Structure formats: structure tokens, C-alpha cells
Amino acid sequence: MMPATAHSGRDLRSRRPLALAVLDMSGTTVEEGGLQDEAFSTAILQEGIEPGGSRYDAMVGYFREARGTPRHEIFRAIFTEDPVTARRANGCFESTYDTLLAERGVRPVDGATEAVAALREAGMKIVLTTGFARHTQNMILESLGWMGVSDLSLCPSDAGRGVPYPDMILTALLALDLEDVRTVMAVGDTTGDIRAGQRAGAGLTVGVLTGYHEEEALRGAGASAVVPSIRDVPALVTG
């Protein structure tokens, strides 16, 4: 993997001092071991969409490409003509994921705990964000022993919309009484995370390569920097 590099040659140290790190969870700070994919397959199978068919493949492909988007919005998109089915499938996804999570748990991405501690030591506030529902986010935090690791945790229902919209980042800024969105660093593994940071006006948007999207896609979405892992993010702050 490539080392941390600036996008378009911009000197990352020329920006305003950073005060808030908005960190995505799944794929960025949390390794979930494929639980989402398994829960999604179960949800659409319940609706009679069998593996091996073109419709199944198209839905799985959309789910993977839209990773990071609120899950209920994904089901609404793939069952556009049938909102009842969309709600039912989303409910199945959430309950299946919660069951798998309770059975198997999740773990931090290597170096994530240390990276969060280093960012806090550098004087930054920490916010953890997700596209899951609140109860699922809490289950993940409890599984990790992270209930007190951040200043705030946010899901789409807390803010209005999830990524790629800027709502969670702006909600975090207001909730923590910070004045300048340019002091925000947004970190994520998907193009949606990067676009949310760009739309919010974050001073630094960082892509990591431990999740779904590759470097080219993250840079194409406007990432200021792309690094191999969350463990490499504190160096962007401390220089």
C-alpha cells in the first residue's frame, strides 16, 4: 500500500489546526468480518431473491457499492416500487446483523484504538459515525468496549441523513460547540464518507484502505489524503 500522500500536491500542514476527528466505524475503525454481507444476503433471500440469479447479483453489487449509505436507504433503492418490501427487508437485515453481532462480535481495525488515543492526545475531539441504526451502533460500541471512547457517536437518525450528505459532520460540529468546520477532519473508507466531508467543508478528508473502496475511487471523490489504515491518520495531524 502507498504511504500517506496529499491530494493534488496540497500541503496538509498549511491548513487550520484540527479540533475534531469524525471517524467512520465499519471498515475504518471497526473490522466486522463480513457480517453486513451475510445479513444482506439473508434479507434478500427472505424476499425470494436466490443466489446465482442476475437480480441477486445486481442487488449485492449495489449494496457493496453503496457501502456507508444508511441501510434503510439501500433497501428503499433496490425495492423502489415496493416500500413495504423495502421496510421488511431492512428489518430482516437489522435483526440478522444484530444476531450475528451478538454471536460473533467485532474487533477494532488494527491500530484503531491507539490512533483514537493519539488523536485525543493531540487535542482533538472524537466522533464515531455509522450508517447503521442507533441500537446496532450501540451494540457495536459495546462489543468493542468503546462506549466511552468518543465524545459523541452519531447515526443517520441523529442527524437527518447519512453519508454522502454532510448532516452527521455538521451535527457533530454543533453538538460539540465548535465554530469552524474547517477544523474538522473526516475519515472513512468509502466514497460516501469522503463526499460527506467535502460537502460539509471539512478542512481535511482522509480515505483509508482497510474498507471497501480503493485509492483511485477515494481520490476521485475528493480525498485530501489516502492512507493505508486509521493507524496512519494521527501523523497527518501531528506532522
Side-chain angles (χ1 to χ4, degrees):
M1 295 181 182
M2 295 179 64
T5 52
H7 183 60
S8 301
R10 186 161 65 91
D11 183 0
L12 297 178
R13 297 174 191 166
S14 67
R15 63 181 182 271
R16 290 170 179 264
L18 295 168
L20 171 62
V22 178
L23 310 177
D24 170 59
M25 292 178 66
S26 296
T28 302
T29 55
V30 180
E31 171 54 59
E32 59 179 22
L35 299 188
Q36 283 195 68
D37 290 332
E38 190 170 338
F40 182 80
S41 294
T42 299
I44 61 175
L45 181 62
Q46 176 182 273
E47 301 304 327
I49 300 162
E50 300 282 346
S54 59
R55 192 179 182 201
Y56 177 93
D57 292 343
M59 287 185 175
V60 169
Y62 180 82
F63 175 71
R64 290 177 176 169
E65 184 59 30
R67 184 85 67 175
T69 305
R71 310 308 182 259
H72 68 275
E73 291 183 10
I74 292 176
F75 285 102
R76 191 182 303 157
I78 64 176
F79 294 110
T80 306
E81 305 302 325
D82 191 349
V84 173
T85 298
R87 288 193 295 272
R88 184 173 61 236
N90 181 65
C92 178
F93 171 84
E94 290 186 354
S95 62
T96 301
Y97 186 92
D98 289 353
T99 298
L100 294 172
L101 178 60
E103 292 173 351
R104 303 180 196 174
V106 292
R107 64 179 183 84
V109 168
D110 288 344
T113 302
E114 295 80 2
V116 169
L119 292 171
R120 190 174 291 286
E121 186 175 339
M124 299 185 70
K125 294 183 181 296
I126 306 296
V127 173
L128 296 172
T129 62
T130 186
F132 284 117
R134 165 53 59 189
H135 72 279
T136 303
Q137 184 178 35
N138 285 344
M139 285 185 68
I140 294 171
L141 292 171
E142 289 171 0
S143 177
L144 295 167
W146 278 12
M147 287 302 287
V149 79
S150 64
D151 295 278
L152 186 66
S153 63
L154 291 172
C155 64
S157 63
D158 296 325
R161 297 173 296 181
V163 303
Y165 299 102
D167 301 30
M168 288 193 289
I169 295 173
L170 298 177
T171 296
L173 188 79
L174 294 171
L176 296 175
D177 199 27
L178 298 173
E179 296 180 356
D180 192 341
V181 74
R182 291 170 294 180
T183 65
V184 174
M185 173 177 65
V187 184
D189 66 298
T190 70
T191 57
D193 298 320
I194 301 302
R195 291 191 178 108
Q198 291 289 317
R199 291 171 177 176
L204 185 62
T205 51
V206 182
V208 297
L209 299 176
T210 50
Y212 184 70
H213 285 128
E214 297 182 353
E215 180 169 4
E216 183 178 2
L218 295 169
R219 289 196 180 280
S224 307
V226 177
V227 295
S229 166
I230 187 68
R231 68 165 69 243
D232 303 293
V233 170
L236 299 177
V237 176
T238 63

